[in-house]
Amino acid sequence: MGFIISAIIFLILLYSVIPYVLSRGLGVNVVKRGRDLSKIAFTFDDGPNPVYTPILLDLLKENEVKATFFVVGTKAEKYPELIQRMHNEGHLIGIHNYVHHSNWFMAPWKVRNGLKNTAKVIKSITGVTPIYYRPPWGMLNLFDFMRRGKYKIILWSIMAEDWRTSGGSEKIKQRLANIKGGDVILLHDCGDTLGAESTGKIVGWRE
């Protein structure tokens, strides 16, 4: 019995924790920072959202800023007009998987099918096959970690924690105060994801 328990623990570590440490901690097989130190990257996860995404797109257009959106496949299917607008306005569109579930708790074939389905949705709307991928919460499993060449996995160097209401916009400004060239900044354009704290308003974008 002890051997079986040890084997199960080892498999869990191999499937989830070890790839997480190698990718998030050491940056193995992922991109956490850009090489061009004259630029920074704004990235937005979890959308598209019919309330937040249009306002964000308006602000990006107003300030002539291009961003990367890691979209959820089911939401892209529901709001194709927002995906089309992102594309038309020159933003990059990547995959955040078909549903916003942790890859640690999904079988590898379900993750693979989610990527395939989301890529298909994005291509059907924009005509472009996505090449960038960010798993929900940055939680790579072993098969994500080994899937080299198919997608470029993008994590981040700065997390704005914009899903938390405590501290408001001042907290976000403080977290973004020390941006350096090459930074990849993690933000969100959706407030209904597990763990997000909804305020009923958009905090800080016009303050």
Side-chain angles (χ1 to χ4, degrees):
M1 179 64 73
F3 172 78
I4 294 175
I5 294 174
S6 297
I8 292 172
I9 292 173
F10 173 76
L11 289 174
I12 291 172
L13 291 173
L14 181 64
Y15 187 72
S16 58
V17 178
I18 292 174
Y20 181 83
V21 171
L22 290 173
S23 59
R24 287 285 296 274
L26 301 178
V28 179
N29 288 359
V30 301
V31 174
K32 296 174 64 176
R33 289 180 53 83
R35 294 181 179 179
D36 188 343
L37 300 183
S38 69
K39 298 179 181 179
I40 61 174
F42 287 103
T43 67
F44 296 88
D45 289 3
D46 300 357
N49 177 275
V51 175
Y52 295 96
T53 304
I55 297 173
L56 172 59
L57 288 170
D58 288 344
L59 287 170
L60 293 172
K61 186 175 183 179
E62 178 182 324
N63 291 279
E64 299 182 349
V65 173
K66 303 302 181 186
T68 301
F69 290 84
F70 291 97
V71 303
V72 176
T74 53
K75 295 180 180 179
E77 285 180 323
K78 192 173 182 180
Y79 306 109
E81 70 283 358
L82 293 177
I83 300 297
Q84 187 66 62
R85 182 180 172 186
M86 291 173 189
H87 176 69
N88 290 346
E89 295 181 2
H91 303 291
L92 289 175
I93 302 173
I95 297 172
H96 203 41
N97 220 324
Y98 191 67
V99 292
H100 199 285
H101 296 163
S102 170
N103 289 9
W104 287 10
F105 304 109
M106 291 195 291
W109 54 87
K110 186 171 183 179
V111 176
R112 184 174 61 250
N113 288 339
L115 288 169
K116 181 180 178 181
N117 291 338
T118 305
K120 184 177 179 181
V121 170
I122 294 170
K123 185 176 181 180
S124 71
I125 298 169
T126 67
V128 177
T129 300
I131 62 172
Y132 299 106
Y133 167 44
R134 174 181 287 160
W137 297 289
M139 292 180 173
L140 276 71
N141 64 39
L142 179 63
F143 291 88
D144 294 318
F145 191 73
M146 299 300 292
R147 189 186 289 110
R148 302 184 63 180
K150 180 67 173 178
Y151 299 105
K152 182 173 289 187
I153 300 176
I154 311 296
L155 297 183
W156 57 86
S157 57
I158 294 181
M159 183 185 297
E161 294 190 5
D162 54 339
W163 68 89
R164 293 177 178 165
T165 59
S166 60
S169 60
E170 287 304 316
K171 176 204 65 181
I172 296 173
K173 290 176 184 177
Q174 289 174 8
R175 292 192 67 85
L176 300 182
N178 297 316
I179 293 173
K180 300 181 293 295
D183 274 331
V184 177
I185 302 164
L186 171 59
L187 294 152
H188 298 81
D189 63 330
C190 182
D192 60 9
T193 304
L194 180 65
E197 300 173 1
S198 177
T199 64
K201 64 178 182 178
I202 298 177
V203 177
W205 284 0
R206 286 199 178 275
E207 297 180 19

